[in-house]
Amino acid sequence: MKLLKAVGLIAAISLGSALAQDRTQTLIYGGDWSDLITMDPQVSYEFSGGLVTDNLYETLVKYEGADLSTLKPGLAESWKVDRGRDTWDITFRLRRGSKFSSGNEVTAKDVVYTFERALAIKGPGSFLFTEIAQLKPGATRAVDNYTVVVSIPKTASPGSFLSILTFNIGGIVDSETVQKNAKGNDFGKEWLTNNSAGSGPFRLVRWDRGSQVLLEANPNARIKPKLQRVILREIKEPAVLRTALESGEIDIAEGLTPEALRALSNNPRFRTFKADSLRLNYLGMNVKEGSPFANKLVRDAVRYSINQDELVNGLVQGNGTKIQTLIPKGLLGYDPRTPYTFDPARAKRLLAQAGYPNGLEFELLVSTGICGGGIPCADIAAKIQSDLAKGGLKANVKAIANAEVLRTYRAQNHQMVLVGWSPDFPDPDGNATPWADFNARSLAWRNVWNDPTAIRLANQAALETEPAKRVALYRLLTDYVLKNGPYAVLYQPAVPLGLSVKVEGYVRNAQGQVRFENISKLP
Amino acid sequence: MFSYFVRRMFFVVFVVWGVTFATFFIANVVPIDPAIAALGDNAREEQIKEFRERYGLDRPIWQQYLIYMGRLLAGDLGNSLRTGRAVIEDLKEFFPATLELSVAAFLVMLILGVPAGILAALRQNKASDVTVRIMALIGGATPVFFLAVLLQFVLARQLDLLPVQGRLDGFTFPPPRVTGMMGIDTLLARDWAAFLDSLRHLVLPAFVLGMFSAAILARMTRATMLEILSQDYIRTARAKGVAGRAIVFRHALKNASLPILTLLGGLLGGLLSGAVLTETIFSWPGIGRYVTQSATSLDFPAVMGVTLLVGLVYALINLVVDLLYAFLDPRIRYA
C-alpha cells in the first residue's frame, strides 16, 4: 500500500512538473483532421495536409496574415517576371542562409528538384503545375546556387503560377535528404508520407493516424516559432470538440456548431470567431438545349426567388457571408454587389415572359452530407425549395450521396444542383476559368454554358499581369456571369472557431493556412 | 481432438472466403463511382481515368475479384483507394487501439455483468434483484452516444475527473510505438505518468462500451442461474448440507457457464469488430472509425480488409469457445 502511494505521488509530481513546463510551449489544435493521408507537400491535396505541410515547408513566395492578394517573399527574397519570346521567364533570387531541418542549406538545386519531383510524382494537385501553369520537365533551371529561372508558356498565367507556388505543392524539399530516403523511382514519396525534410519553422516528429500529429520547432529554421510544440488533435464530433475546449484539453477548436459558438462567446475564458473560407455554395442550372434554364429569363427568375438574407442569417446562422458573384471575398477581384433581391412577383413575371405562366417543375439534386457552415445540405435545399415555390418554381428535391451528385453533375445529367466549390489556388483565376470557360471542362461545361464573351473575358483576365487592369477585367467578368451565367450563388461559408483566451497571434486565412510560428500562449 | 481442430480450421477458412465473396459483390453493387469519391469535385477527367486504370476499376467485376483473390492468397490485402497505403498497414495501425479498448470493455462487462446477474438470481424478487434488473434495462436501452456525452459532460467537463477524449493527454509525450496499445507501450517505455494517464483515458470509453454488454450479460446470467438453482441436484446438495457458497460457485455457476460462455464469445467478437460510436465520440483511433470512413468514401479494399479481419476474429473466437466447452463440461468430447 505504501509502495502504491509512493508510486502515485511520484507519478503525480512528475506529471505535474511535465505539464507546468509544457503548457505554454505546447499548442493543441483540435478539429476534424480525418482527411489527412500524407505529409508529402508534393502529394498532399487535402485541407488538413495543407495545414500541416505549410508549417513544415517554406515556399518561394507566400501570403502573410489573412491577405491573399499581395505576394510576400518566402525562400525567395525577390522575383521578377520577364516576357520571353514564347515563354514567361520567372526569376527567383533565393535568400542565403536558409536551412533545412537536416542543417543543409536551401539552394537552387533543391528548388529544381522539388518542381521536377512534383511533375514526376503526378500527385492529385499536380494539375496545378501541369495544366494551370503548363510547367514542363526541364523548364526549371538553376542559374547559380541562389538563382532559379522557371519558364512557362505564354498561354499560362504567371500570376496564377505565383499564387500556386504559395500552395503546399510549392513547398521546397531537402533534395539530399529526400534522395537518401528514396526507394527505387519513388522520389522519396513513401518516406515523406510520414517524415518531413523542409526548412519551415516546424518539423514532423510523429503522426499517429486518426489520433494526432506532433510538430516540434525546427532547430535549424530561419523563422523561429514562439512555441516549441504544436499538436493537431483529431476530434470528429463537434460536441466533443466543444467539451474538450472547455475542459482545457485543447487550446483551439475548429469546426464548432453554431450553438457551441454562441455558448462559448458568452464565456470570458474563450474567444470565438468565424474565419473566412474561399468556398462558395451555389445552385448550378443545366442550360443545355431543351432545358427550361436555357432561357436566361428563367435563370433570372431563380435568382430573384431566393431569399438570401433569410438563408444566411437564419439557417446558416451567420456562419457564412452573403455573396452573388463568382470571386469569393478575400481574393483579388471580389465584387461585393448583390443586385438580386428577393422579389417573387418579379420572378413570376419573368417566368410568364419566358413562356411558363403556370410555373415550372424540375429536379433539384443535393448531397445527403453536410454543406459549408456545418449545415446539412438537405436543410439548405428545403429552404431553397420553399423560396423558389414563392416565385412559381417547383423544385423536387432529390437527396443522394455526394459522390453520386458529382457523378450526375459531371455527366451533365442534372437539371438543377446544389453544390459547393473551392478554388484550387488563391487566385481569381481559380474560380474564373472553371466558372466561365466552357473549354476548361469544369463548371461552365457541366452546366453546358458555352458563352464566347465569358470565355474571352476569363482568358484575358488570367493572362493580364497588371493588377489594376486585371481587377477591371474581373469586374466585367463577374458582372457578366452574375447576369448571364447558369449559377445562383447562395453564400460563402465561414469556419467557426473557438480559442482559449490564452492563445495569441492566431490567424487563419481564407485558404485555410495557419502560420503556427506566430502563435504564442500565455501561462 | 487434433483432427477436430484441423476440421474446424478448414471451416474457418471457408467462412472467411464466404465473407470476402459476399462483401466484394455487395460492395460492387453500389452504383457510386469510387474514383469520384476518392478524388473529389475538382478532379480532372484524366485524373479519374488514370485512377480507374491504376486500381483496375475499369475491368469487369469478375476479373477484379480474381485479381483480388490472387493478391489475397499471397497475403496482400491491396492498397486503400483513399490513402494509397497498404490496407495491412492501416489495420496494424488501427486494430491495436480497438483491441485495447475491447479488452478493457470486456473486463468492465465481466466485472459488472456476472456478479450482478448472480446476485439478482440469489435474491430473486428482492430489492437487489429489482435494482439489477432496472439497471440492466437502463444499461441496455441507453444509446451509446447519449451515455457517452452525458458522462463526458458530468465527469469530464463539470467535475474535471477524467479526460474527454483521446488516448493520452496532449501535453504528455507519447511513448515509442511498439504494440500500438497505449497502456502497454507506456509500460514498455517505463513512463509511469503516461501509463496512469492512458488508464485515465481508457476509463470512460471502456465503461460506455462495456455497459451495454454488461446489461445483456447480467440478464443472461440471472436467467441461467435461476434455472439451474431450481434443479434437483441443487436441492439435493442443499439437503446434504453443502455450504451455500460452494453450491453457488461450484455447482450452479459452473453449469451456468456454458450458455454464458457462448454469449461472451459473441459479445467479445462484437467489441473487437470496432465500436463506431464509442470510437468517434472519444476520438479513439480504432478500426470501427476507420471502416466507417472507408465505407463512406467507397474505399473497397479497406472495407474488405476490415471485414476479413472481423470475420477471422469471429471464427477464431467461436473455435476457442467450442474448445472451452470440452474443458468446462467433461461430457463433451471431440473426436
Side-chain angles (χ1 to χ4, degrees):
Chain A
M1 198 59 208
K2 261 187 186 165
L3 184 73
L4 207 69
K5 269 187 185 162
V7 168
L9 195 66
I10 294 168
I13 293 168
S14 59
L15 189 72
S17 61
L19 296 186
Q21 281 171 11
D22 268 346
R23 293 234 173 222
T24 57
Q25 281 304 309
T26 304
L27 177 84
I28 306 186
Y29 192 166
D32 181 1
W33 318 124
S34 56
D35 62 338
L36 269 180
I37 53 180
T38 175
M39 300 296 177
D40 187 329
Q42 273 78 52
V43 182
S44 171
Y45 192 58
E46 300 74 44
F47 277 106
S48 309
L51 180 67
V52 178
T53 49
D54 284 338
N55 289 285
L56 302 174
Y57 299 88
E58 281 186 279
T59 45
L60 293 176
V61 289
K62 64 180 180 188
Y63 292 118
E64 263 168 21
D67 179 12
L68 287 177
S69 48
T70 324
L71 283 173
K72 298 277 166 62
L75 278 172
E77 58 186 9
S78 67
W79 62 95
K80 63 177 172 41
V81 180
D82 293 312
R83 195 183 284 264
R85 213 162 60 86
D86 312 304
T87 55
W88 301 102
D89 301 319
I90 308 155
T91 308
F92 297 94
R93 222 162 268 290
L94 304 185
R95 56 173 105 224
R96 286 160 199 255
S98 304
K99 282 187 180 152
F100 291 110
S101 51
S102 63
N104 297 338
E105 196 186 5
V106 182
T107 59
K109 73 170 190 319
D110 299 304
V111 178
V112 176
Y113 180 78
T114 299
F115 288 6
E116 297 299 333
R117 182 175 189 270
L119 296 176
I121 289 182
K122 297 196 180 91
S126 62
F127 71 92
L128 295 171
F129 273 13
T130 55
E131 290 179 40
I132 311 289
Q134 300 173 40
L135 186 66
K136 303 273 182 319
T140 310
R141 303 175 307 278
V143 177
D144 58 45
N145 263 350
Y146 302 100
T147 312
V148 183
V149 178
V150 187
S151 301
I152 57 171
K154 270 282 172 55
T155 45
S157 150
S160 299
F161 179 59
L162 285 168
S163 77
I164 286 168
L165 289 185
T166 67
F167 192 57
N168 58 275
I169 193 166
I172 305 302
V173 301
D174 181 350
S175 59
E176 262 178 58
T177 307
V178 173
Q179 275 164 322
K180 215 162 38 197
N181 290 289
K183 276 189 194 159
N185 265 341
D186 84 338
F187 286 85
K189 186 176 157 188
E190 193 186 321
W191 187 76
L192 276 184
T193 304
N194 299 306
N195 296 281
S196 70
S199 61
F202 288 89
R203 64 192 180 90
L204 177 65
V205 176
R206 189 179 161 130
W207 173 21
D208 295 315
R209 284 175 168 76
S211 175
Q212 62 180 10
V213 182
L214 220 151
L215 309 181
E216 265 181 5
N218 172 1
N220 293 313
R222 180 172 49 86
I223 303 168
K224 300 284 178 227
K226 294 180 177 158
L227 291 159
Q228 277 308 303
R229 197 177 283 164
V230 173
I231 293 163
L232 280 93
R233 197 75 181 232
E234 184 176 319
I235 302 176
K236 287 188 79 158
E237 183 55 43
V240 181
L241 200 62
R242 174 186 167 185
T243 317
L245 180 69
E246 286 173 328
S247 67
E249 286 176 36
I250 57 175
D251 301 307
I252 304 176
E254 177 172 319
L256 293 163
T257 57
E259 295 80 28
L261 205 65
R262 232 196 335 268
L264 286 172
S265 63
N266 294 326
N267 188 331
R269 285 168 53 221
F270 304 102
R271 238 164 9 98
T272 57
F273 71 95
K274 294 159 191 167
D276 285 330
S277 73
L278 292 180
R279 199 173 172 78
L280 293 180
N281 279 0
Y282 70 94
L283 297 175
M285 295 170 258
N286 194 331
V287 303
K288 71 179 166 200
E289 247 184 68
S291 156
F293 299 113
N295 189 332
K296 185 181 154 317
L297 296 172
V298 177
R299 304 202 294 269
D300 261 349
V302 169
R303 289 187 274 255
Y304 279 116
S305 302
I306 295 166
N307 193 337
Q308 225 184 341
D309 293 316
E310 230 177 68
L311 174 71
V312 173
N313 301 326
L315 192 56
V316 183
Q317 300 196 45
N319 271 358
T321 316
K322 182 177 173 182
I323 177 170
Q324 291 183 351
T325 46
L326 68 89
I327 297 177
K329 187 176 146 216
L331 290 185
L332 185 90
Y334 161 63
D335 183 348
R337 279 176 306 160
T338 52
Y340 284 92
T341 49
F342 179 53
D343 190 347
R346 185 162 179 182
K348 277 187 178 149
R349 277 203 307 278
L350 286 166
L351 273 187
Q353 242 178 306
Y356 301 98
N358 301 321
L360 176 65
E361 190 170 343
F362 53 91
E363 186 178 85
L364 168 57
L365 214 54
V366 56
S367 159
T368 47
I370 303 290
C371 273
I375 321 294
C377 299
D379 290 2
I380 295 172
K383 161 74 181 145
I384 299 294
Q385 184 184 38
S386 90
D387 282 357
L388 289 175
K390 289 169 195 154
L393 293 143
K394 186 173 185 313
N396 300 313
V397 175
K398 187 177 170 193
I400 49 177
N402 193 43
E404 192 57 12
V405 173
L406 297 181
R407 196 185 62 80
T408 314
Y409 191 22
R410 280 169 174 279
Q412 304 173 325
N413 277 337
H414 63 295
Q415 283 189 292
M416 183 188 274
V417 66
L418 167 63
V419 276
W421 171 266
S422 297
D424 290 314
F425 52 99
D427 183 89
D429 187 43
N431 271 25
T433 294
W435 287 59
D437 185 353
F438 178 83
N439 304 317
R441 277 184 75 92
S442 191
L443 303 190
W445 184 84
R446 289 182 204 168
N447 288 302
V448 203
W449 189 55
N450 192 351
D451 188 301
T453 313
I455 296 171
R456 182 177 49 78
L457 282 169
N459 291 343
Q460 239 180 321
L463 293 176
E464 181 55 58
T465 49
E466 182 75 38
K469 280 188 198 161
R470 212 167 171 224
V471 170
L473 281 167
Y474 278 126
R475 195 44 75 88
L476 288 176
L477 176 71
T478 51
D479 191 60
Y480 186 82
V481 176
L482 170 65
K483 288 172 183 150
N484 300 283
Y487 316 103
V489 178
L490 300 173
Y491 64 101
Q492 183 174 349
V495 180
L497 281 147
L499 289 84
S500 156
V501 283
K502 290 177 183 164
V503 175
E504 293 190 328
Y506 176 91
V507 177
R508 184 190 194 281
N509 73 17
Q511 183 78 342
Q513 292 176 320
V514 179
R515 303 240 174 250
F516 294 150
E517 74 257 25
N518 299 327
I519 302 178
S520 60
K521 256 178 88 181
L522 298 171
Chain B
M1 182 74 188
F2 181 72
S3 72
Y4 173 78
F5 187 74
V6 172
R7 265 187 290 138
R8 281 300 305 265
M9 284 313 286
F10 177 76
F11 184 65
V12 167
V13 172
F14 185 76
V15 166
V16 170
W17 172 77
V19 167
T20 65
F21 188 81
T23 344
F24 191 88
F25 285 96
I26 291 170
N28 279 282
V29 171
V30 183
I32 301 169
D33 188 341
I36 291 177
L39 296 173
D41 190 16
N42 294 22
R44 305 297 197 264
E45 296 296 324
E46 310 81 67
Q47 275 177 291
I48 292 176
K49 195 161 158 274
E50 200 258 341
F51 186 92
R52 287 196 186 119
E53 277 166 15
R54 179 156 26 114
Y55 288 102
L57 298 171
D58 50 346
R59 302 188 192 196
I61 182 161
W62 60 270
Q63 264 188 30
Q64 289 186 43
Y65 182 70
L66 287 184
I67 294 171
Y68 179 79
M69 286 311 284
R71 284 218 198 111
L72 191 64
L73 290 176
D76 178 5
L77 291 175
N79 285 344
S80 154
L81 301 184
R82 190 171 64 86
T83 65
R85 210 159 82 114
V87 171
I88 191 93
E89 290 297 318
D90 280 343
L91 293 184
K92 275 190 212 157
E93 179 119 16
F94 295 110
F95 189 61
T98 295
L99 187 62
E100 187 177 37
L101 180 58
S102 304
V103 169
F106 190 72
L107 291 179
V108 169
M109 167 181 108
L110 273 185
I111 291 166
L112 289 180
V114 174
I118 294 174
L119 183 76
L122 291 179
R123 308 260 165 91
Q124 194 185 2
N125 296 331
K126 301 239 173 62
S128 43
D129 179 27
V130 175
T131 314
V132 167
R133 276 154 65 191
I134 291 175
M135 289 301 287
L137 196 68
I138 295 174
T142 312
V144 166
F145 62 85
F146 178 73
L147 184 64
V149 172
L150 186 75
L151 291 177
Q152 277 177 334
F153 186 78
V154 177
L155 293 176
R157 185 178 167 276
Q158 297 300 97
L159 302 175
D160 202 16
L161 289 176
L162 289 167
V164 181
Q165 48 78 42
R167 302 169 79 191
L168 209 56
D169 188 72
F171 297 100
T172 305
F173 199 87
R177 188 186 169 91
V178 184
T179 61
M181 285 175 272
M182 206 48 96
I184 293 175
D185 285 355
T186 48
L187 279 183
L188 290 175
R190 291 172 203 277
D191 187 344
W192 311 117
F195 173 66
L196 290 178
D197 189 43
S198 82
L199 288 188
R200 271 163 43 85
H201 279 81
L202 195 53
V203 175
L204 275 189
F207 180 75
V208 166
L209 188 56
M211 189 60 199
F212 178 75
S213 311
I216 302 176
L217 186 61
R219 270 188 287 187
M220 175 80 170
T221 308
R222 178 180 175 275
T224 317
M225 284 297 279
L226 275 181
E227 194 193 319
I228 287 171
L229 285 173
S230 66
Q231 299 268 332
D232 290 347
Y233 66 86
I234 299 287
R235 200 185 51 205
T236 311
R238 282 221 175 94
K240 272 167 58 184
V242 178
R245 182 179 295 211
I247 291 177
V248 172
F249 290 99
R250 200 175 308 151
H251 296 282
L253 188 60
K254 195 169 176 194
N255 281 302
S257 57
L258 283 193
I260 295 176
L261 188 68
T262 315
L263 180 69
L264 280 181
L267 290 176
L268 180 64
L271 292 176
L272 282 171
S273 56
V276 181
L277 283 173
T278 313
E279 287 177 3
T280 306
I281 294 173
F282 289 100
S283 304
W284 200 270
I287 53 163
R289 224 173 53 164
Y290 171 69
V291 76
T292 324
Q293 199 172 2
S294 305
T296 47
S297 51
L298 306 178
D299 188 348
F300 298 140
V303 174
M304 298 281 297
V306 175
T307 319
L308 206 63
L309 178 70
V310 170
L312 202 63
V313 163
Y314 264 101
L316 290 179
I317 287 176
N318 270 332
L319 179 62
V320 171
V321 166
D322 281 359
L323 295 177
L324 279 178
Y325 278 169
F327 178 74
L328 287 169
D329 186 347
R331 287 169 304 181
I332 300 175
R333 281 288 164 264
Y334 301 112

